[in-house]
Amino acid sequence: MRLGLLTACFAGSSLDEVAEWAAGNGYASLEVAAWPAGGDHPHHAAHLDAAAFTQAEAERVRALLDRLGLTVSAVVYCANNLHADAEERDSVHRHLRHCVDTAAALGVPYVSTFVGRDVTRSVAENLRLAERVLPPLVDYAGERGVRLLAENCPMEGSHPDGYPGNLAYSPELWEWMSDLGLLLDFDPSHLPWIGIDAEDALEFALERGIVAHAQAKDVEIDTRLRTRYGVFGRTVGRTSPVDAGWWSYRVPGRGMLDWNRIVDMLHKARYNGTLAVEHEDPVWGGTAEHTEQGLRIAARTLRPLVSPESPDPGWR
């Protein structure tokens, strides 16, 4: 198993800068963000220009990674593949195919995305829509030696009322989407706040062989505030769909998840891929210095578990 990081938290840095920092701070792999250039979302970075990726750039990136001893575990473009607007949905699919081509050029096995949701339709209608539009994307990737993954983020921010906007949030849906050919990019942090036991869910997914990649993000839950607002979150004074008021994401080591147990379960299942830290911690975020310190905290928490035989690289 390799310890990696999702590069999206370094939206203002180049891939070269991110790679240099990661290699010097205890990380061995990158899950590389490849959203379209020009976006303004704080967690959408374009560290690979998938729409204009050339063979020359592929060779340059491979040389960079080889020099630093890094690998790329996945190319990431998490967007709404079931968007209600047909033109926007086509645009998402077009960029997803660019990401597949980029992954193939780099020899990267996975592209991670979302299933998504058309918020104007019922869940049942969305399942039928997905069964129509997702298999051609799975086939496109497969023809190029790449597998599509879906992350289990509920994406409540994509729904006007904060309900799940990504139909990949539960083990029931993981089984359904695996039948469509999508494997799982497992992130345990999304599970406790929707009432799912992260360890039981991981065991379910490992037993079915659908975990192709894993992310490491923690979660902090204030049960007293949950009692005040309910599981759907605050209503009066809500500032955005993600402003639930009683939970927040944290870096590993600062939340409630048992990383000793989670990583041990991956080891027992002979998972030999990457565990990539996804940094969305509001405490250790907001500035480059805070973000880097958050990633150092995550590395100190996880590296002894992921690669206990590896020497301490000296980060403090």
Side-chain angles (χ1 to χ4, degrees):
M1 204 186 309
R2 297 172 71 85
L3 181 62
L5 64 85
L6 173 56
T7 67
C9 60
F10 286 112
S13 302
S14 69
L15 178 62
D16 296 57
E17 291 169 332
V18 176
E20 292 276 3
W21 188 92
N25 286 275
Y27 289 93
S29 188
L30 302 177
E31 191 179 11
V32 182
W35 273 265
D40 58 2
H41 191 287
H43 298 297
H44 292 181
H47 289 129
L48 294 170
D49 185 358
F53 201 69
T54 64
Q55 188 59 41
E57 180 64 3
E59 292 171 2
R60 190 195 73 80
V61 171
R62 284 197 295 266
L64 168 70
L65 298 170
D66 288 345
R67 176 174 64 82
L68 295 172
L70 296 173
T71 63
V72 174
S73 60
V75 173
V76 180
Y77 170 53
C78 289
N80 189 351
N81 283 290
L82 303 182
H83 199 284
D85 183 279
E87 186 174 332
E88 177 64 21
R89 189 192 310 155
D90 287 344
S91 176
V92 169
H93 293 179
R94 183 163 55 252
H95 191 74
L96 184 61
R97 289 192 290 269
H98 288 321
C99 288
V100 167
D101 294 337
T102 298
L106 289 171
V108 174
Y110 303 123
V111 169
S112 185
T113 187
F114 290 149
V115 170
R117 177 178 181 174
D118 178 346
V119 298
T120 70
R121 306 190 191 200
S122 69
V123 171
E125 289 170 332
N126 269 271
L127 297 181
R128 303 295 84 77
L129 175 62
E131 289 161 3
R132 177 169 59 83
V133 304
L134 294 183
L137 296 170
V138 170
D139 291 343
Y140 183 90
E143 290 163 2
R144 289 154 181 78
V146 176
R147 293 296 302 267
L148 287 186
L149 313 182
E151 187 194 338
N152 58 291
C153 177
M155 276 309 294
E156 69 285 358
S158 296
H159 192 285
D161 292 318
Y163 302 146
N166 173 34
L167 297 181
Y169 60 85
S170 70
E172 177 190 21
L173 290 166
W174 304 344
E175 201 162 27
W176 162 78
M177 71 189 195
S178 71
D179 289 340
L180 300 182
L182 287 92
L183 297 176
L184 179 64
D185 193 351
F186 176 79
D187 184 337
S189 69
H190 300 302
L191 299 168
W193 72 265
I194 59 173
I196 296 175
D197 184 286
E199 294 173 20
D200 283 352
L202 177 56
E203 183 175 26
F204 171 92
L206 290 171
E207 287 175 348
R208 285 156 182 78
I210 59 176
V211 178
H213 193 275
Q215 293 181 336
K217 187 163 77 263
D218 218 319
V219 62
E220 182 176 29
I221 290 175
D222 187 323
T223 56
R224 191 162 179 266
L225 287 175
R226 183 176 61 195
T227 297
R228 174 173 172 80
Y229 296 126
V231 295
F232 301 110
R234 78 168 93 228
T235 301
V236 178
R238 192 173 187 131
T239 60
S240 74
V242 297
D243 179 25
W246 60 271
W247 64 267
S248 62
Y249 293 127
R250 301 301 309 273
V251 293
R254 292 295 185 268
M256 61 177 288
L257 293 172
D258 185 345
W259 290 101
N260 282 280
R261 176 68 178 146
I262 290 170
V263 176
D264 195 51
M265 290 174 69
L266 291 169
H267 279 302
K268 286 182 178 179
R270 299 295 185 264
Y271 174 79
N272 60 359
T274 291
L275 179 63
V277 174
E278 182 180 17
H279 188 333
E280 294 182 356
D281 189 320
V283 177
W284 294 107
T287 68
E289 293 78 11
H290 272 149
T291 296
E292 291 175 2
Q293 182 60 20
L295 289 169
R296 292 189 186 100
I297 292 169
R300 285 199 296 270
T301 300
L302 296 173
R303 189 169 178 84
L305 307 176
V306 171
S307 302
E309 75 285 355
S310 299
D312 186 326
W315 27 252
R316 284 291 181 268

